[in-house]
Amino acid sequence: MATPNLPTRRNRRLPIRVRSMTETERPLRADARRNRARVLEVAQQVFETEGLAVPVDEVAKRAGVGIGTVYRHFPTKEALLEAILISRVEALIADAQALAGASDPGAAFFGFVVRMVRQVVGNKALGEALVSSGFDPVEVLGPTHAVLRAAQDHLLARAQEAGAVRKDVTGADVKAIIVGIIAAERHTDDGEPGRLGSIMIESLRA
C-alpha cells in the first residue's frame, strides 16, 4: 500500500512533538488515560497492518471512542503517529528499568537487545512508513531518547562488570550493532533475530 504524503519536518511551519505521559503537565483522569492508551494501541495495529492511509475517524471507531476524544489527545494525524513512536520507546525504557537489578546482568542485557530488535523489526511496516514520511526519531523522542540510551548503558555496564560483555564495547557500539541487526532483519517475517543478527549479538560477548 502506498504511503500517503504526510508533512515532513522540512516543510512544516511549526514542528509538533507530542509530550510523553511523563512530560504531561497535568495528569489525565483514569478514563482519559484508558482512552488514550486504547487509541494508541488500535492506531498502531491499524497503521501497521493497513498502512497510514487509514483515516483517523476509522481508528476512533475501532477503538470505541468518539473522534473528538482522539483529537483531544492527538490534534493531528502526525501527532498520533509521533505518540505511537514515543509509547513504543517508553515501553522499552520500562523494560530496561525492570531489568536494572536483575540477578543475571548478562542475560538481562542480551535479552533486552533481542527485545529491541523484535519490537522494531516486528513493526517494520509502521517504522518504514514513519521514516519515509520524514520523521526524525531523535527529534520526535526528545529527552525520551536520552532516557532509553541511559537505561541501555546501565544494562551494558552491569553486564560488563559481570564479565558477560567485552570491556571494550561502548554504548555507541551497541546502538550501531542494533541498527545493523535491524537493517539485516528487515526482510524477515517473524521479527526474530536471524543468523546475521545472532552473529552480531554474539560478537558482544566476553
Side-chain angles (χ1 to χ4, degrees), residues 1-8 47-48 50-54 77 81 124-135:
M1 180 177 294
T3 301
N5 294 322
L6 295 178
T8 68
F47 292 147
E48 171 65 24
E50 301 177 37
L52 301 187
V54 177
K77 190 172 188 178
L81 293 171
K124 59 186 176 183
L126 177 59
E128 289 169 354
L130 290 173
V131 171
S132 66
S133 297
F135 280 75

Side-chain angles (χ1 to χ4, degrees), residues 88-189:
R88 287 166 56 182
V89 173
E90 288 180 333
L92 283 174
I93 291 171
D95 190 10
Q97 291 174 340
L99 294 169
S103 59
D104 187 339
F109 171 75
F110 286 107
F112 179 70
V113 170
V114 169
R115 278 189 283 278
M116 285 190 71
V117 173
R118 283 176 180 168
Q119 184 185 98
V120 178
V121 175
N123 293 282
K124 59 186 176 183
L126 177 59
E128 289 169 354
L130 290 173
V131 171
S132 66
S133 297
F135 280 75
D136 180 344
V138 175
E139 182 181 353
V140 171
L141 292 172
T144 310
H145 180 266
V147 175
L148 175 62
R149 177 63 182 271
Q152 173 191 293
D153 288 351
H154 176 74
L155 294 179
L156 171 62
R158 292 191 73 235
Q160 288 175 318
E161 290 171 3
V165 175
R166 291 170 44 168
K167 294 290 187 181
D168 60 340
V169 173
T170 66
D173 294 333
V174 174
K175 179 180 178 180
I177 287 175
I178 290 174
V179 170
I181 293 172
I182 291 168
E185 306 298 339
R186 282 293 187 186
H187 300 295
T188 63
D189 296 324

Side-chain angles (χ1 to χ4, degrees), residues 10 12 17 45 53 57 97 108 113 121 126 137 143 176 192 197:
R10 291 187 294 274
R12 272 183 294 164
R17 188 174 75 80
Q45 181 181 20
D57 57 353
Q97 291 174 340
V113 170
V121 175
L126 177 59
E192 295 289 339

Side-chain angles (χ1 to χ4, degrees), residues 61-82:
K61 178 181 178 181
R62 298 190 194 185
V65 301
I67 188 64
T69 297
V70 175
Y71 282 122
R72 274 196 296 274
H73 294 291
F74 314 108
T76 66
K77 190 172 188 178
E78 183 181 42
L80 176 56
L81 293 171
E82 292 188 355

